[in-house]
Amino acid sequence: MEKRSDSSDLKYPQKWLYNALGVPLGRGITVTESTAMRSTAVLTCVRILSESVASLPLPVYKRLNPRGKVRAKHRVADLLQNRPNPRMTAFTFRETMMAHILLWGNCYAEIESDAAGEVVALWPIPPHRVEHLETAEGDPFFRVSTKDGKQHNVPFYAMFHIPGLGFDGTKGVSVIHWARQAIELSLATEQFGADFFENGTNVGAVATLPGTLSDAAFERLQKSLREKYEGLGKAHRLMLLEEGMTFSKNTIPPNDAQFLETRKFQILEIARVFRVPPHMMADLERASFSNIEQQSTDFVIHSLRPWLIRWEQTINWKLFSLNEQKRFFAEHLVEGLLRGDSSARAAFYKEMFMIGVYSQNDIREKENDNPIEGGDRYFVPLNMMPLDMLDEHYKNQSKPDPIPPEGGDNKDGEQDEGTTGADDSGESSGGQEG
């Protein structure tokens, strides 16, 4: 909130007075969090990010010992995925909260708890109605103004607050405030174009004459243009002119072409502020079939992921008790957005299946298919062994072969024909007495 200087008067008013009276300042355009949405680029960026975050599944997991996780049935899971309060769905709640943080830099929702301290509802609050304050002891709290002008204080633990990028770690700064001039230029070009086509004259073609047309020739020319050349069905016809008239068709003037380039550049400028790929704003000039998939992946990693982490950490901090934080946590599912085409997914699943990471039902679940009977088994190749058994295997191979007894076995390990062994009495089995 801007400080009001005592030097402001009606002769030299400050900016806050212009905003309070609704009078535009400077070039005639006032950029606020609400008026910025009149820019199609800002509107598109806010919609893309808000709808993307709101549409992602947000389940609650329970930690397993010693590691791993499993989906848990928890009251917070019902709030995040079904109804955060009796008046809106989970999608509407998260979409509204994301629009607040994208425009104002902060989003707020009052946490309603029952007598046992269990969270039962989340009520979003417009950021311009929330004020950050501290008690005399330095403890933070929030002062909320309602529509009817009443105020009430909300304790710090009872406010679900996600701040954007800021400087003190407690409150985010509005992106609209930082990029005010870029958005103002975008609105100015749109206003200029609307005023030009509403009040200006833009002629598509001009017929010139060295002298002055007679009344009869002027009447014939008007009648000829109406009957023979006006309308889409009469385009590209040969035009016959009289009395030395010449016809020339207008093209886009250089100033108009520069105007179009300025509008296009401002769309890219605003997309850069919100970190939204241009192809998602219907600007396919630099997109191709080979790189649009990579751009979509970059959008998930570099644009969505920071917002998702903000959501997850605030949920785990404010909606779970201290004991529950050790066992439960919320996490978005983004695998569906990171999947490649069918060939890339098939190759990936095959590799994961071959090393025993995924079972058949794991793969079917990721592809949104129902499980099959017997599909929960994990398989590994037979020609593989654990790494810790490798040394023992080579040690056994390096031992020399046992030496066979003399005259016992030949090189093939079989007994030679015509030889006999000794019997138990030590006498030769084939000898005769003297």
Side-chain angles (χ1 to χ4, degrees):
M1 186 175 181
E2 299 183 11
K3 296 182 179 179
R4 303 185 180 184
S5 175
D6 295 337
S7 61
S8 177
D9 53 28
L10 294 180
K11 186 176 181 180
Y12 301 102
Q14 296 292 323
K15 186 177 180 179
W16 66 265
L17 184 57
Y18 279 99
N19 294 334
L21 298 177
V23 180
L25 177 66
R27 288 177 285 265
I29 297 176
T30 301
V31 177
T32 64
E33 288 76 11
S34 299
T35 60
M37 293 288 281
R38 298 175 185 172
S39 170
T40 57
V42 176
L43 175 62
T44 304
C45 289
V46 172
R47 286 192 60 188
I48 289 174
L49 291 172
S50 300
E51 293 173 355
S52 298
V53 173
S55 62
L56 287 176
L58 183 55
V60 172
Y61 294 96
K62 181 180 180 180
R63 292 183 174 89
L64 299 178
N65 189 20
R67 62 181 182 178
K69 61 184 179 181
V70 64
R71 290 199 184 188
K73 294 183 179 180
H74 197 279
R75 64 185 183 283
V76 174
D78 185 64
L79 293 175
L80 298 177
Q81 298 187 77
N82 297 319
R83 286 203 313 170
N85 59 69
R87 298 183 182 178
M88 61 183 64
T89 63
F91 184 94
T92 303
F93 171 77
R94 284 194 280 163
E95 181 186 38
T96 303
M97 295 282 283
M98 274 301 301
H100 288 171
I101 193 173
L102 291 171
L103 294 173
W104 279 273
N106 299 271
C107 64
Y108 304 89
E110 188 171 353
I111 303 174
E112 181 183 351
S113 303
D114 57 13
E118 304 289 341
V119 179
V120 295
L122 298 171
W123 298 94
I125 306 172
H128 63 273
R129 295 181 181 172
V130 181
E131 187 178 0
H132 290 237
L133 298 173
E134 291 184 356
T135 62
E137 293 78 14
D139 297 328
F141 69 96
F142 302 90
R143 179 164 295 168
V144 179
S145 301
T146 59
K147 293 181 179 180
D148 54 3
K150 298 180 180 180
Q151 293 182 339
H152 68 278
N153 296 334
V154 179
F156 182 78
Y157 65 85
M159 181 67 79
F160 185 89
H161 171 220
I162 304 178
L165 179 62
F167 300 108
D168 57 1
T170 60
K171 188 176 182 180
V173 180
S174 170
V175 176
I176 305 301
H177 175 77
W178 275 337
R180 187 181 302 274
Q181 291 185 343
I183 299 173
E184 182 178 348
L185 181 56
S186 175
L187 292 173
T189 55
E190 293 184 9
Q191 181 176 337
F192 172 80
D195 293 341
F196 176 81
F197 289 105
E198 181 180 359
N199 302 321
T201 301
N202 191 10
V203 182
V206 176
T208 58
L209 179 69
T212 304
L213 279 176
S214 62
D215 294 340
F218 181 74
E219 291 292 337
R220 288 195 302 271
L221 178 61
Q222 281 190 323
K223 182 178 179 181
S224 175
L225 291 176
R226 287 194 302 266
E227 295 178 355
K228 297 181 179 180
Y229 305 109
E230 288 184 356
L232 295 177
K234 303 174 183 179
H236 306 292
R237 287 187 176 184
L238 179 64
M239 178 176 288
L240 300 178
L241 301 175
E242 54 182 306
E243 298 190 13
M245 294 181 63
T246 59
F247 178 84
S248 60
K249 189 174 182 180
N250 286 348
T251 58
I252 299 179
N255 291 338
D256 292 352
Q258 187 177 6
F259 163 73
L260 297 177
E261 290 295 327
T262 302
R263 291 203 62 186
K264 183 183 298 184
F265 177 79
Q266 287 310 115
I267 293 176
L268 295 177
E269 187 80 356
I270 294 175
R272 188 181 299 117
V273 171
F274 288 95
R275 290 190 299 184
V276 173
H279 77 273
M280 300 189 70
M281 304 177 66
D283 184 0
L284 303 178
E285 183 175 356
R286 295 173 178 82
S288 63
F289 290 105
S290 60
N291 67 4
I292 198 168
E293 180 181 340
Q294 183 61 41
Q295 292 186 44
S296 300
T297 303
D298 292 341
F299 170 70
V300 177
I301 297 175
H302 301 294
S303 300
L304 284 184
R305 187 170 179 270
W307 295 114
L308 301 182
I309 293 177
R310 284 186 173 97
W311 271 90
E312 293 167 2
Q313 292 185 352
T314 305
I315 291 171
N316 299 333
W317 175 29
K318 288 297 186 74
L319 301 185
F320 294 108
S321 64
L322 292 177
N323 292 330
E324 289 178 334
Q325 292 176 17
K326 301 176 182 179
R327 297 178 294 142
F328 300 97
F329 66 96
E331 187 177 44
H332 291 87
L333 297 180
V334 297
E335 287 85 355
L337 299 179
L338 295 174
R339 291 188 306 180
D341 54 21
S342 57
S343 300
R345 296 203 311 274
F348 172 75
Y349 290 148
K350 182 179 179 180
E351 291 294 328
M352 294 296 102
F353 180 80
M354 291 296 294
I355 61 176
V357 176
Y358 289 164
S359 66
Q360 290 176 305
N361 283 341
D362 292 336
I363 298 174
R364 295 180 65 87
E365 182 180 2
K366 292 182 179 297
E367 289 295 312
N368 201 25
D369 290 330
N370 292 329
I372 60 176
E373 185 178 356
D376 292 323
R377 302 180 65 187
Y378 295 86
F379 297 85
V380 294
L382 290 176
N383 59 346
M384 299 178 66
M385 67 172 58
L387 184 62
D388 55 0
M389 296 179 60
L390 192 62
D391 292 339
E392 184 179 353
H393 172 73
Y394 280 114
K395 288 179 181 179
N396 294 333
Q397 283 191 345
S398 62
K399 292 181 180 180
D401 295 333
I403 301 175
E406 295 182 1
D409 295 328
N410 61 10
K411 61 181 181 179
D412 295 330
E414 299 179 354
Q415 192 176 28
D416 294 335
E417 295 182 0
T419 62
T420 58
D423 57 11
D424 294 338
S425 62
E427 298 178 352
S428 174
S429 62
Q432 297 179 356
E433 293 181 358

